[in-house]
């Protein structure tokens, strides 16, 4: 290390906080690549007697530095809390698993008994879960109470690996007479989808000691929600359920409502932006009315709830004296119903609990037929993806693996795929899907090219066959577009950034709900010869800028930026 680097490191370490058994390097921006870089950190770890908590958040740790830090941890048997979120910034995806393996092996060797493990905001993907899989299965985690893996890009594959590791940990812990009693589980923004959520639900159903579950923004539909509901029913100590920004629809909401009736300790329900709709909201209201006397917060915002259902929810909280917040913002109520809500709650002397209604979508006609049609359409799409409904709400069902009967596949053409995209529809278009879509897209219209690309990328999955089909189809479309002398590439990137929500437009444009697919598709596209190099700096600038939409796709964003910087 250069002398100025050593001086900078020394200044950072001078800010290290010590106390209460905790050693903290939090937020110091240390770049620990080599053993030499980590020398002072190791020294402080080695000299700290009775180390119970180690904070490494907000630094970046490489493979070699992780190995020497791990060596120091091998003698720290009293370590209980590992606050290791956001500690691999700028690292290659391939660097993270070996670093995690080194640290995990050290904890096992030390005989540590962890209470908390926080690896949030590390974009390690499914492979990263393999990096701490052995640790989760070891005696070091038999005592684990809090597991936090928010925003890690685990995907379905990572969710399944994690679920299997938790089940194995539970099995081994019982054999050793130290039953795993996990209390807090956090895994938001991980694209777990139905399969990942269902796998984790199996683990939750076995563990049975959960008090808080936070799984927002995971692309979970009603089959996954139903699986989670069944698992929650056998976790009677649950206090907090946060499933914000998933897609319940009525089926998922009803399943969750049935579970809520069996839970007595619930304090926080966050189903905001979950599309529970009116029928689902009424079912949840019934569950609230029947019990939940400890309820402090109920969030049903942005759920397409209409007038009567919203009033039913308000009436259901009449005797909930612990309630601090009711959030019904962003629904379809109208000014008159908003006033009625205030009047009802004032009558209960609870007006202060109602949150802002400033984003109300306005009064819409109650149309149950329309809502039913939407449910049926979504159900058909799920069936086309091979998703089978959970047959009952019996909690034991979640523990049994059942064979499912394949759903007959209806014929698919390009128009059908583009109208309602799904991975299975793209695959069923056959080996000529890329040619067919490119042929039927008017490349003289930039808007149509962007819209088609977004629909193609929306079905992106890590599954090899789907990934290949998305890449081939995007390549055929964009190669044709960029090779045309009349195609305006600047207009294309501008239009794409607007639809991604990364660039503001004077017109009201509906942005895509998730950027994961398009970011992963762009990661492939920018490496192809057809992609104009002149667009690379523009794309880099906008993907680098802070943006809330990008925060929920940190793994995909990291992958794209890494590729762009190498071009």
């Amino acid at each position: 290390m250069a002398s100025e680097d050593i001086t900078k490191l020394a200044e950072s370490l001078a800010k290290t906080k010590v106390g209460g058994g905790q050693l903290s390097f939090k937020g110091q921006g240390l770049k620990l690549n080599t053993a030499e870089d980590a020398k002072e950190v190791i020294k402080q770890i080695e000299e700290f007697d009775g180390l119970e908590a180690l904070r490494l958040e907000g630094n970046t740790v490489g493979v070699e530095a992780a190995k020497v830090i791990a060596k120091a941890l091998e003698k720290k048997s009293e370590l209980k809390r590992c606050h290791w979120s956001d500690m691999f910034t700028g690292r290659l995806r391939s660097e993270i698993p070996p670093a995690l393996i080194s640290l995990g092996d050290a904890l096992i060797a030390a005989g540590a008994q962890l209470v908390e493990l926080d690896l949030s905001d590390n974009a390690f993907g499914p492979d990263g879960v393999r990096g701490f899989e052995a640790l989760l299965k070891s005696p070091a985690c038999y005592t684990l109470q809090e597991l936090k893996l928010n925003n890690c890009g685990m995907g379905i594959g990572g969710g399944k690996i994690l679920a299997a590791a938790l089940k194995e940990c539970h099995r081994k812990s019982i054999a050793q007479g130290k039953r795993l009693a996990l209390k807090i589980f956090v895994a938001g923004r991980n694209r777990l989808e139905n399969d990942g959520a269902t796998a984790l639900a199996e683990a939750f159903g076995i563990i049975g000691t959960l008090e808080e579950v936070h799984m927002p923004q995971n692309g979970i539909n009603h089959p996954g929600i139903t699986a989670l509901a069944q698992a929650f029913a056998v976790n009677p100590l649950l206090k907090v359920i946060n499933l914000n920004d998933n897609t319940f629809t009525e089926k998922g909401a009803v399943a969750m409502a049935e579970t809520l009736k069996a839970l007595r300790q619930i304090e926080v329900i966050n189903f905001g932006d979950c599309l529970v709709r009116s029928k689902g909201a009424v079912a949840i209201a019934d569950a609230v009315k029947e019990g939940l006397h400890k309820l402090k917060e109920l969030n049903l915002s942005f759920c397409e709830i209409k007038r009567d259902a919203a009033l039913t929810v308000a009436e259901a909280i009449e005797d909930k004296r612990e309630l601090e917040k009711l959030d019904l913002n962003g629904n379809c109520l109208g000014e008159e119903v908003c006033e009625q809500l205030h009047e009802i709650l004032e009558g209960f002397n609870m007006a202060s609990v109602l949150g802002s209604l400033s984003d109300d979508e306005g009064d819409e006609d109650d149309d149950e037929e329309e809502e039913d049609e939407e449910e049926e359409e979504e159900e058909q799409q799920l069936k086309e993806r091979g998703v089978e409904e959970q047959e009952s709400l019996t909690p034991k069902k979640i523990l049994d693996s059942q064979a499912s009967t394949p759903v007959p596949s209806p014929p698919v053409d390009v128009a059908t795929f583009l109208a309602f995209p799904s991975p299975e529809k793209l695959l069923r278009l056959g080996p000529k899907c890329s040619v067919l879509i490119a042929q039927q897209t008017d490349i003289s219209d930039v808007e149509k090219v962007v819209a088609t690309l977004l629909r193609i990328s929306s079905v992106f999955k890590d599954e090899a066959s789907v990934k290949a089909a998305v890449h081939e189809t995007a390549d055929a479309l964009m190669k044709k577009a960029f090779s045309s002398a009349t195609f305006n590439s600047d207009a294309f990137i501008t239009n794409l950034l607007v639809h991604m929500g990364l660039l503001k437009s004077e017109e009201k444009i509906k942005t895509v709900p998730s950027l994961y697919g398009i970011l992963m598709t762009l990661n492939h596209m920018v490496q192809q010869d057809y992609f104009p190099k002149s667009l690379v700096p523009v794309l880099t600038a906008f993907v680098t800028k802070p943006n809330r939409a990008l925060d929920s796709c940190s793994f995909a964003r990291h992958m794209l930026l890494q590729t762009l910087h190498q071009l």
Side-chain angles (χ1 to χ4, degrees):
M1 283 178 88
S3 58
E4 58 269 23
D5 291 333
I6 295 173
T7 302
K8 186 177 179 181
L9 177 60
E11 290 173 353
S12 293
L13 291 172
K15 301 173 186 175
T16 301
K17 295 179 181 178
V18 178
Q22 174 175 283
L23 178 61
S24 176
F25 300 94
K26 181 179 179 179
Q28 294 183 17
L30 302 176
K31 295 181 180 179
L32 308 177
N33 298 314
T34 66
E36 181 66 22
D37 295 341
K39 192 173 179 180
E40 288 298 321
V41 173
I42 293 164
K43 181 183 177 184
Q44 293 206 36
I45 291 173
E46 289 176 338
E47 293 178 353
F48 196 111
D49 291 329
L51 180 63
E52 294 184 7
L54 178 62
R55 307 195 76 105
L56 292 173
E57 314 103 300
N59 300 291
T60 179
V61 181
V63 177
E64 187 180 336
K67 285 181 180 178
V68 291
I69 291 172
K71 194 71 178 173
L73 291 176
E74 286 180 359
K75 298 177 183 178
K76 300 299 175 181
S77 62
E78 295 177 351
L79 187 62
K80 292 180 175 64
R81 298 184 182 274
C82 298
H83 301 280
W84 294 351
S85 63
D86 189 22
M87 59 179 263
F88 296 111
T89 303
R91 298 291 168 187
L92 295 174
R93 182 176 170 180
S94 59
E95 291 182 88
I96 301 176
L100 288 172
I101 289 170
S102 295
L103 294 167
D105 287 348
L107 298 176
I108 296 169
Q113 295 186 328
L114 295 184
V115 172
E116 179 179 0
L117 177 61
D118 186 354
L119 293 170
S120 299
D121 301 315
N122 290 307
F124 47 58
D127 294 340
V129 185
R130 292 285 187 198
F132 60 92
E133 180 184 15
L135 172 63
L136 277 182
K137 294 178 179 179
S138 75
C141 285
Y142 292 172
T143 51
L144 194 64
Q145 295 180 16
E146 301 180 31
L147 180 58
K148 300 174 182 177
L149 300 166
N150 201 55
N151 197 28
C152 293
M154 290 190 291
I156 293 171
K160 289 181 176 180
I161 296 167
L162 175 62
L166 287 172
K167 288 191 287 186
E168 182 71 1
C169 178
H170 183 266
R171 185 187 67 78
K172 287 182 174 180
S173 68
I174 290 176
Q176 294 295 317
K178 302 177 180 178
R179 184 188 180 98
L180 174 66
L182 189 67
K183 294 181 179 180
I184 298 174
F185 180 84
V186 181
R189 297 180 177 180
N190 272 292
R191 291 193 64 82
L192 295 169
E193 300 183 17
N194 288 329
D195 289 348
T198 300
L200 284 166
E202 291 180 14
F204 297 162
I206 292 169
I207 292 169
T209 56
L210 289 167
E211 295 180 11
E212 295 186 21
V213 175
H214 303 263
M215 295 174 65
Q217 294 185 359
N218 270 298
I220 308 170
N221 300 118
H222 77 77
I225 296 298
T226 300
L228 288 171
Q230 294 172 353
F232 293 165
V234 289
N235 281 266
L237 302 178
L238 265 174
K239 296 178 181 177
V240 178
I241 302 177
N242 176 6
L243 294 174
N244 189 286
D245 200 5
N246 289 290
T247 307
F248 282 43
T249 64
E250 180 191 346
K251 289 184 174 68
V254 169
M256 196 60 70
E258 287 299 314
T259 284
L260 290 174
K261 292 176 182 179
L263 299 175
R264 302 297 179 204
Q265 306 300 320
I266 290 290
E267 296 178 2
V268 176
I269 297 171
N270 186 344
F271 297 159
D273 205 9
C274 282
L275 204 66
V276 304
R277 296 201 176 111
S278 295
K279 291 180 181 178
V282 170
I284 292 168
D286 288 343
V288 171
K289 191 170 185 175
E290 287 185 21
L292 305 188
H293 295 292
K294 296 184 179 181
L295 189 64
K296 294 181 179 178
E297 180 178 334
L298 176 59
N299 185 345
L300 294 175
S301 60
F302 299 93
C303 281
E304 292 191 6
I305 299 169
K306 297 179 182 177
R307 298 171 299 187
D308 293 343
L311 296 175
T312 300
V313 171
E315 289 165 354
I317 67 168
E318 179 178 0
D319 62 345
K320 304 300 175 262
R321 297 305 168 193
E322 299 292 321
L323 194 70
E324 298 171 2
K325 184 176 182 181
L326 171 63
D327 193 344
L328 290 170
N329 200 17
N331 287 299
C332 311
L333 309 182
E335 187 176 340
E336 182 181 338
V337 175
C338 288
E339 290 177 3
Q340 283 182 270
L341 285 174
H342 281 287
E343 290 172 5
I344 290 171
L345 294 174
E346 281 176 2
F348 301 155
N349 197 25
M350 297 176 70
S352 62
V353 306
L354 184 62
S356 169
L357 297 171
S358 59
D359 292 320
D360 183 62
E361 294 289 334
D363 187 10
E364 290 185 10
D365 291 333
D366 280 316
D367 191 341
E368 291 191 9
E369 279 189 26
E370 181 183 332
E371 201 165 283
D372 290 340
E373 285 173 7
E374 289 174 349
E375 293 275 355
E376 288 172 11
E377 185 179 295
E378 286 154 4
E379 180 64 25
Q380 180 60 30
Q381 289 183 42
L382 288 169
K383 284 183 179 179
E384 287 169 1
R385 296 179 194 180
V387 177
E388 291 292 326
E389 270 196 81
Q390 302 290 329
E391 291 184 354
S392 84
L393 295 177
T394 308
K396 291 180 181 177
K397 289 267 187 179
I398 198 66
L399 308 179
D400 302 325
S401 58
Q402 300 175 343
S404 59
T405 305
V407 178
S409 302
V412 174
D413 56 19
V414 171
T416 303
F417 166 74
L418 293 177
F420 300 104
S422 74
E424 286 67 30
K425 284 179 187 171
L426 182 62
L427 293 177
R428 290 211 306 277
L429 280 171
K432 293 184 178 180
C433 65
S434 57
V435 176
L436 291 171
I437 291 176
Q439 284 177 345
Q440 295 185 38
T441 304
D442 181 5
I443 60 166
S444 66
D445 188 332
V446 170
E447 279 271 5
K448 287 184 179 177
V449 173
V450 169
T452 303
L453 177 62
L454 289 171
R455 286 183 172 88
I456 294 166
S457 64
S458 71
V459 307
F460 181 92
K461 290 173 68 175
D462 290 324
E463 187 180 316
S465 58
V466 178
K467 184 191 295 185
V470 169
H471 287 172
E472 289 171 12
T473 310
D475 285 343
L477 173 68
M478 298 315 303
K479 187 175 183 179
K480 180 183 176 184
F482 285 129
S483 62
S484 170
T486 59
F487 188 72
N488 189 330
S489 59
D490 290 334
F492 164 79
I493 197 69
T494 300
N495 196 289
L496 180 62
L497 290 169
V498 167
H499 281 277
M500 290 173 68
L502 305 183
L503 181 63
K504 290 184 178 179
S505 171
E506 292 181 3
E507 299 177 14
K508 190 172 183 180
I509 301 291
K510 186 176 182 180
T511 58
V512 292
S514 171
L515 294 182
Y516 181 79
I518 186 60
L519 290 173
M520 295 300 285
T521 305
L522 283 169
N523 184 52
H524 167 80
M525 284 171 48
V526 297
Q527 301 176 63
Q528 309 311 308
D529 291 338
Y530 64 73
F531 193 85
K533 299 304 178 222
S534 61
L535 300 184
V536 170
V538 180
L539 191 56
T540 304
F542 280 93
V543 177
T544 303
K545 286 171 65 176
N547 189 289
R548 191 175 176 184
L550 289 168
D551 290 342
S552 61
C553 304
S554 63
F555 170 70
R557 180 190 201 179
H558 171 78
M559 293 289 288
L560 177 56
L561 284 175
Q562 183 177 297
T563 301
L564 289 169
H565 288 310
Q566 291 172 353
L567 294 175

